[in-house]
Amino acid sequence: MATLFDTYDLSGLLLKNRVVMAPMTRARAPGYVPNAEMVRYYGQRASAGLIVTEGTPISREGNGFVDCPGIWSDEQIAGWAKVTDRVHDLGGSIFTQIWHVGRMSHVSLQEDGKAPVSATTQQAEHSAAFGYNANGQADFVTASKPHALSTTEAERVIDDFARAAANAAEAGFDGVEVHGANGYLVEQFINGAVNDRTDRFGGDSVENRARFALEVVDACIAELGAPRVGIRLSPFGRLHDLGDFDGEEETFLYLARELGKRNIAYVHIMDQASRGAPAMPEGFLAKFREAYNGTLILAGGLDKAKAGELIDAGLIDLAAFGAPFVSNPDLVERFRHDWPVAEPDKSLFYGGDARGYTDYKPYTAA
């Protein structure tokens, strides 16, 4: 019987347990460059079997969040290298989540105030980016109307993902996780309600909807090798103005089979029920597991007991935790010893200083 605390062979990378720190945007990198406080933050949490960093924009164009650390410049690579060195010195493993937000950006974040780019010209009118308001202050602002990428421009963005993967290797990461979830660019291609294109990346067929995601993965594989590439998906996701579409289950199961053929490091599924969105349909996780023959990670509303049950049942291999890692840098040990799990201060999730970031303490008995 497998447990959360067993080691796990992730395509040749030995993880010291099956607990994954999920990617979480924290907006603590002024100038988009990783800093000393980030080194401390990730080092504090290096007892996780695997850390997946916060979403890391692959380009200025791909950014949708003030003070979110990128991976497109030499200065950013050097900053991330200090993070990976710290985690590795403490015996941890770390992937970075490479990210393009697509239409979930704002003109205030784009070079020369340009429109964000997407698979579509449809605006996410009911969703917000974290940009600058009319007073020039960091704030949640309605996502701007996007420019639809041409076929050639979409191919250029795929190259940007590949370059980010190469930069991640230079920074010392053990691998990359392509952000294909939560309504960002890759999922804007996957989701047939948003993807209204008619080219080879168009939304009119399962194969075309999945093509952009698979070509991004293939480009990253070409840079790093399949064992160092993962992807995050959110099947039936509705965050950021995504909608229902015909063939939705078929699309994600097709992705599962195609990703399995590539022998990538893992697929990381996000169940958005924990974010207030509808849960994945009953039984879908088992269908995905049957279609995908590689390592499967699940995130979204897990606790120790539920994670253990899913691992024991063979439905998942690794369990990812987000918010609990914010306020419990020693989460693995708290789980191991059944110590209390502290609740985070949600008002300090985004931006600011060390408060609510690196000042949470390990558990000590009263």
Side-chain angles (χ1 to χ4, degrees), residues 76-251:
Q76 290 165 340
I77 293 169
W80 278 120
K82 295 175 182 176
V83 172
T84 60
D85 283 348
R86 180 62 174 159
V87 171
H88 290 150
D89 286 347
L90 293 168
S93 298
I94 183 167
F95 276 43
T96 189
Q97 186 187 69
I98 51 177
W99 188 25
H100 192 305
V101 302
R103 68 178 183 167
M104 289 309 306
S105 187
H106 187 262
V107 292
S108 64
L109 296 168
Q110 296 293 315
E111 190 171 5
D112 300 325
K114 294 177 183 175
V117 302
S118 178
T120 180
T121 59
Q122 296 178 49
Q123 183 177 3
E125 296 178 345
H126 307 292
S127 299
F130 191 57
Y132 295 98
N133 62 24
N135 298 319
Q137 298 170 322
D139 197 1
F140 284 100
V141 288
T142 302
S144 300
K145 184 173 177 60
H147 158 73
L149 292 162
S150 68
T151 305
T152 301
E153 288 171 332
E155 291 165 349
R156 187 264 303 160
V157 174
I158 292 169
D159 290 340
D160 290 345
F161 271 101
R163 191 173 304 109
N167 290 346
E170 185 177 344
F173 284 104
D174 295 303
V176 298
E177 175 180 288
V178 174
H179 198 341
N182 295 356
Y184 297 115
L185 180 64
V186 173
E187 193 167 33
Q188 289 159 29
F189 280 90
I190 293 171
N191 185 276
V194 171
N195 184 343
D196 50 10
R197 306 170 67 88
T198 57
D199 65 353
R200 67 189 188 90
F201 298 115
D204 57 342
S205 72
V206 168
E207 292 79 11
N208 284 352
R209 285 193 290 272
R211 192 182 310 279
F212 184 82
L214 293 172
E215 290 197 8
V216 168
V217 168
D218 288 341
C220 292
I221 289 172
E223 291 291 339
L224 305 182
R228 294 295 170 259
V229 177
I231 186 170
R232 196 180 216 205
L233 301 173
S234 49
F236 300 92
R238 296 294 177 263
L239 292 180
H240 298 146
D241 289 39
L242 296 186
D244 301 351
F245 62 96
D246 290 338
E248 191 161 5
E249 178 175 292
E250 184 185 359
T251 297

Side-chain angles (χ1 to χ4, degrees), residues 22-79:
M24 294 175 287
T25 297
R26 303 305 310 275
R28 296 304 208 285
Y32 308 113
V33 177
N35 55 30
E37 204 62 23
M38 286 179 58
V39 175
R40 185 180 179 197
Y41 170 75
Y42 285 110
Q44 287 174 337
R45 291 152 180 81
S47 59
L50 175 66
I51 291 174
V52 184
T53 73
E54 60 211 278
T56 305
I58 62 174
S59 61
R60 171 80 179 271
E61 174 195 82
N63 180 44
F65 232 88
V66 172
D67 293 342
C68 195
I71 197 159
W72 67 82
S73 74
D74 290 342
E75 188 179 10
Q76 290 165 340
I77 293 169

